[in-house]
Amino acid sequence: AAAAVLLFCVLPRGLPGPAPQSAPGGPRLTVLSANVYYGLADPDALVRLVREHGVDVLSLQELTPQSDDALARSGLRSLLPHDVTDAGPGPVGGAVYSAYPVEEVGGTHRNAYFAMPRARVRVPNAAPVEVVSTHAMPPSDSAAVPGWRESIRDLPDARPNGRVRVLAGDFNATLDHAEFRSLLGTGYTDTAAATGSGWTPTWPADGSLPGTVIDHILVDRRVAVHRTSVHPVPDTDHHAVLAELALPEK
């Protein structure tokens, strides 16, 4: 009985979700998110993913100044010349890179530890989109759980008549966590669950533990999700996640 109830709860993650109430008529936007593991992820592999998949917006977590420079040397700036970057030592930094002009939203954003840059992306013929490079605190032990809960609760919610938002990053949470489901309940759609790929693990990349889905791209319910995919990146413990979206018209 317990197994049947569990299957009933998780089965929808492997089935396509409902379409938006009204299909957006605006342009496509392809978003890629990756935790680059203390800035050690292979910059050439990341730039290759951006190029091969026509990525318009790249959200990175754990970005260091050295990895930002390495990405530039690998050609990222020629593909995504606009950015809101808050690089830092170790795992604390983050960035949003864009093919379209961006504005920083509200200055520096951090939870207790991690930078979470917010960029308003100006996509032609679409309403402005606020993209948040999301990095929640890890619930690594019982003492860290309150900070983990707070870091998820502090993320901006989705409002039907508010800004069109995309949260892309390492949430350190799955759909099994009540805090994460509460965030979705404000008006977000998990893109992987919407396309029936919500079982594809994103961490750990080396297979040392049973895989789990802690990296997500969440979108305002006014945004349609056309496809999603998960991609390995050398030298990081997370897989990158990609979503192709259709935005509401301006």
Side-chain angles (χ1 to χ4, degrees):
V5 170
L6 177 61
L7 181 63
F8 176 79
C9 291
V10 302
L11 183 62
R13 303 176 200 179
L15 302 172
Q21 292 180 348
S22 58
R28 298 285 181 99
L29 185 76
T30 301
V31 178
L32 179 71
S33 178
N35 181 316
V36 294
Y37 190 56
Y38 290 72
L40 299 176
D42 185 328
D44 291 333
L46 269 173
V47 173
R48 187 162 52 249
L49 280 175
V50 170
R51 182 180 294 110
E52 289 178 354
H53 293 275
V55 171
D56 303 301
V57 173
L58 173 64
S59 171
L60 296 182
Q61 304 83 53
E62 301 196 15
L63 181 76
T64 64
Q66 294 81 5
S67 59
D68 184 39
D69 292 341
L71 287 164
R73 290 193 297 272
S74 295
L76 182 65
R77 301 290 182 174
S78 64
L79 300 169
L80 306 177
H82 309 281
D83 69 280
V84 174
T85 302
D86 190 356
V92 305
V96 176
Y97 302 92
S98 172
Y100 302 109
V102 298
E103 303 170 20
E104 186 173 6
V105 178
T108 301
H109 292 274
R110 288 182 179 269
N111 53 33
Y113 196 52
F114 299 123
M116 294 198 294
R118 299 185 187 183
R120 185 176 296 115
V121 182
R122 301 287 184 179
V123 182
N125 303 315
V129 181
E130 182 179 314
V131 179
V132 182
S133 178
T134 305
H135 198 181
M137 299 289 291
S140 52
D141 54 41
S142 58
V145 168
W148 165 75
R149 288 192 176 116
E150 183 178 354
S151 66
I152 295 176
R153 291 170 182 167
D154 284 346
L155 291 170
D157 59 10
R159 299 179 181 177
N161 298 315
R163 297 173 180 171
V164 177
R165 283 198 175 103
V166 175
L167 309 186
D170 175 6
F171 288 76
N172 277 307
T174 74
L175 288 166
D176 302 297
H177 292 108
E179 287 79 7
F180 187 69
R181 294 196 303 273
S182 293
L183 177 64
L184 291 173
T186 69
Y188 286 114
T189 297
D190 182 279
T191 56
T195 57
S197 56
W199 292 346
T200 306
T202 67
W203 178 90
D206 62 3
S208 58
L209 295 171
T212 188
V213 185
I214 62 173
D215 301 270
H216 306 269
I217 297 176
L218 308 186
V219 297
D220 184 303
R221 289 178 185 167
R222 292 167 289 181
V223 176
V225 184
H226 285 282
R227 66 181 178 98
T228 60
S229 51
V230 173
H231 303 270
V233 179
D235 303 322
T236 174
D237 58 341
H238 291 251
H239 291 313
V241 293
L242 180 141
E244 183 182 317
L245 314 172
L247 302 175
E249 288 182 290
K250 189 172 184 179

